[in-house]
Amino acid sequence: MRHLILVDAAIGLVENPAPVKSGGVVAGLFGIRPLRTALIATVGTQPLFSEFWLRKFVARKEVVTPSRTAIYREPFVLDGFTASLGDWAVQFAGESGKSLSERPEGFRKLPIPLTLVWGQEDTITPLPQAQVLQRLAAGSRLLVLPGVGHIPQIEDPALFNARMTEILQHP
């Protein structure tokens, strides 16, 4: 690998992690796979909520069209998808400093160039998270895409593709 490009990366980086506390009743219930799967099926992979959730990830709401929403729904019919999505959510939420991507020293020691591509309006992984990564990884660069949120490749495909082409041509 010669160059790492992160696009609005949800990596869970914590500069000064707080002590991990027990998750309480909700975390306990979410730890029971059948209950978790039922909850995910009710609100996460329920087709009636697809448009709602997709709109939460973008700044340009007009890109959430019926055809695009249909594409995001396609995996919902795969056997085991909902349970697997719940398993991923538990793992992602419960990392608490265990993943290398959550530790600042990993970015300080990154042996290859890093380019961060970030939507200026990203509310899922806000721009300050990209700025922290840029400070940690010496020599990294940050390209901010104006007017887009967490999924810039669908919010402004022309701008996103142009920036990616530039990065790949001139790493």
Side-chain angles (χ1 to χ4, degrees):
M1 184 179 343
R2 294 187 220 162
H3 190 143
L4 177 61
I5 302 169
L6 297 178
V7 179
D8 290 275
I11 57 173
L13 179 68
V14 179
E15 280 193 283
N16 300 305
V20 178
K21 295 188 241 177
S22 170
V25 175
V26 173
L29 291 174
F30 209 67
I32 301 170
R33 194 172 197 238
L35 292 175
R36 174 176 67 240
T37 301
L39 177 63
I40 296 291
T42 302
V43 294
T45 57
Q46 167 52 254
L48 295 174
F49 292 126
S50 301
E51 182 179 328
F52 170 82
W53 289 118
L54 189 52
R55 284 180 180 279
K56 294 291 184 188
F57 283 80
V58 298
R60 294 183 178 173
K61 307 303 183 196
E62 70 275 8
V63 303
V64 181
T65 61
S67 61
R68 181 159 284 130
T69 302
I71 292 167
Y72 277 84
R73 286 182 186 144
E74 286 182 14
F76 296 1
V77 300
L78 298 174
D79 188 39
F81 177 80
T82 298
S84 296
L85 182 61
D87 294 345
W88 168 83
V90 165
Q91 181 180 2
F92 183 76
E95 286 292 321
S96 302
K98 296 175 189 169
S99 172
L100 291 176
S101 69
E102 295 176 272
R103 299 184 200 152
E105 65 269 13
F107 291 96
R108 286 187 194 105
K109 296 176 183 177
L110 197 62
I112 57 174
L114 171 65
T115 300
L116 303 158
V117 179
W118 231 264
Q120 183 178 24
E121 307 300 323
D122 189 342
T123 58
I124 304 302
T125 52
L127 188 55
Q129 291 184 34
Q131 294 163 335
V132 168
L133 285 172
Q134 183 183 24
R135 283 192 306 272
L136 290 171
S140 63
R141 65 180 169 162
L142 171 61
L143 297 176
V144 179
L145 304 180
V148 299
H150 190 66
I151 316 176
Q153 62 272 28
I154 68 168
E155 294 181 76
D156 192 338
L159 176 62
F160 179 79
N161 290 339
R163 293 300 170 263
M164 292 303 291
T165 299
E166 291 169 13
I167 294 166
L168 294 172
Q169 288 177 341
H170 308 286

